[in-house]
């Protein structure tokens, strides 16, 4: 079992550009959540996807959008990048029938640097 | 609004010592509290999860306690080892979200 996989591991973009990050959930998991972790801070919840729909959303602007595919993999898109978007982006997967965090697994993250 | 605070932000101790990491939260209406370990380049690993009805959980050399009424949790690490060096984060689950502290960076000196 490969666990949760994220790609790419590192990414460098310039202000104003757009970026797409990818996540494959752990085998047997159908729900994907995305988190942003700024340096020296705890992760912050961006949104959660299940059945190809956004189910929950944190306090992030519409520049942050996502998608879930029929195979449960997910993408996080960020438009009009700002310097403040520089962070580690973490993907977590879980089975939806467990509505809490009790079977949540995290990927290693994508480190995004915006110059 | 739920806020989670971890003290200290960083801690350096000699190998073999027992140590305590602290976590506090402002709203006692939590479903559970979870302690994670974060290693550079390796994402987050769940260590212990305490349900709101529980007082503590133990796994090996780790023991986590929860006092919901006072909004506090502690992570006790016994007989620390250099391999315990990492950032430790606590998170509370409430309103369908995990709310995280900023973490305690722990360095165990050989």
């Amino acid at each position: 079992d490969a666990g949760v996989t994220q790609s790419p591991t590192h990414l460098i973009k310039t202000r104003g550009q757009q970026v797409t990050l990818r996540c494959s959930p752990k085998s047997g998991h159908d729900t994907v959540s995305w988190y942003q972790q700024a340096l020296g801070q705890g992760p912050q919840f961006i949104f959660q996807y299940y059945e190809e729909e956004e189910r929950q959303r944190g306090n992030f602007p519409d520049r942050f959008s996502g998608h879930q595919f029929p195979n449960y993999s997910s993408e996080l898109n960020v438009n009009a990048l700002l310097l403040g978007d520089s962070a580690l982006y973490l993907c977590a997967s879980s089975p939806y029938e467990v509505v809490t965090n009790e079977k949540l697994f995290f990927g290693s993250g994508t480190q995004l640097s915006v110059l | 609004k739920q806020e989670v605070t971890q003290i200290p932000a960083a801690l350096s101790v000699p190998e073999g010592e027992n140590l305590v990491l602290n976590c506090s939260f402002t709203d006692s209406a939590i479903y559970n509290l979870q302690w994670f370990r974060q290693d550079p380049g390796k994402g987050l690993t769940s260590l212990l999860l305490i349900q709101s009805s529980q007082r503590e959980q133990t796994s090996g050399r780790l023991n986590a306690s929860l006092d919901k009424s006072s909004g506090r949790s502690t992570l006790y690490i016994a007989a620390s080892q250099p391999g315990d060096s990492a950032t430790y984060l606590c998170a509370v689950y409430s309103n369908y979200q995990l709310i995280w502290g900023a973490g305690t960076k722990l360095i165990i000196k050989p």
Side-chain angles (χ1 to χ4, degrees), chain A residues 49-86:
Chain A
Y49 274 83
Y50 169 68
E51 288 190 333
E52 303 179 49
E53 290 189 12
E54 184 182 293
R55 299 290 177 167
Q56 302 284 342
R57 188 178 182 95
N59 189 26
F60 278 80
D62 291 345
R63 298 187 298 111
F64 290 77
S65 63
H67 188 77
Q68 186 179 33
F69 299 93
N71 67 352
Y72 310 126
S73 67
S74 176
E75 290 182 347
L76 165 65
N77 301 292
V78 187
N79 295 322
L81 284 167
L82 304 173
L83 295 179
D85 295 332
S86 295

Side-chain angles (χ1 to χ4, degrees), chain A residues 39-53:
Chain A
L39 188 64
Q41 301 295 318
Q44 292 197 0
F45 175 72
I46 303 175
F47 43 52
Q48 180 190 76
Y49 274 83
Y50 169 68
E51 288 190 333
E52 303 179 49
E53 290 189 12

Side-chain angles (χ1 to χ4, degrees), chain A residues 9-65:
Chain A
T9 55
H10 295 83
L11 203 51
I12 299 175
K13 292 287 188 178
T14 57
R15 281 179 298 174
Q17 285 189 313
Q18 179 264 345
V19 68
T20 297
L21 310 181
R22 295 176 176 82
C23 173
S24 292
K26 180 179 170 62
S27 177
H29 287 183
D30 53 12
T31 302
V32 173
S33 302
W34 287 92
Y35 291 81
Q36 180 196 64
Q37 186 177 21
L39 188 64
Q41 301 295 318
Q44 292 197 0
F45 175 72
I46 303 175
F47 43 52
Q48 180 190 76
Y49 274 83
Y50 169 68
E51 288 190 333
E52 303 179 49
E53 290 189 12
E54 184 182 293
R55 299 290 177 167
Q56 302 284 342
R57 188 178 182 95
N59 189 26
F60 278 80
D62 291 345
R63 298 187 298 111
F64 290 77
S65 63

Side-chain angles (χ1 to χ4, degrees), chain A residues 35 37 40-45 48 56-59 88 90 99-109, chain B residues 31-34 36 38 41-46 49 51 89 91 93 95-103:
Chain A
Y35 291 81
Q37 186 177 21
Q41 301 295 318
Q44 292 197 0
F45 175 72
Q48 180 190 76
Q56 302 284 342
R57 188 178 182 95
N59 189 26
L88 179 67
L90 294 161
V99 296
T100 69
N101 54 320
E102 293 168 49
K103 293 188 177 181
L104 197 62
F105 286 80
F106 282 86
S108 297
Chain B
Y31 189 84
N32 60 43
L33 182 144
Q34 197 165 6
F36 290 85
Q38 187 169 32
K42 294 188 178 180
L44 290 156
T45 302
S46 177
L49 185 151
Q51 301 290 355
L89 297 109
Y93 190 79
N95 292 327
Y96 304 101
Q97 294 186 25
L98 276 171
I99 311 297
W100 301 74

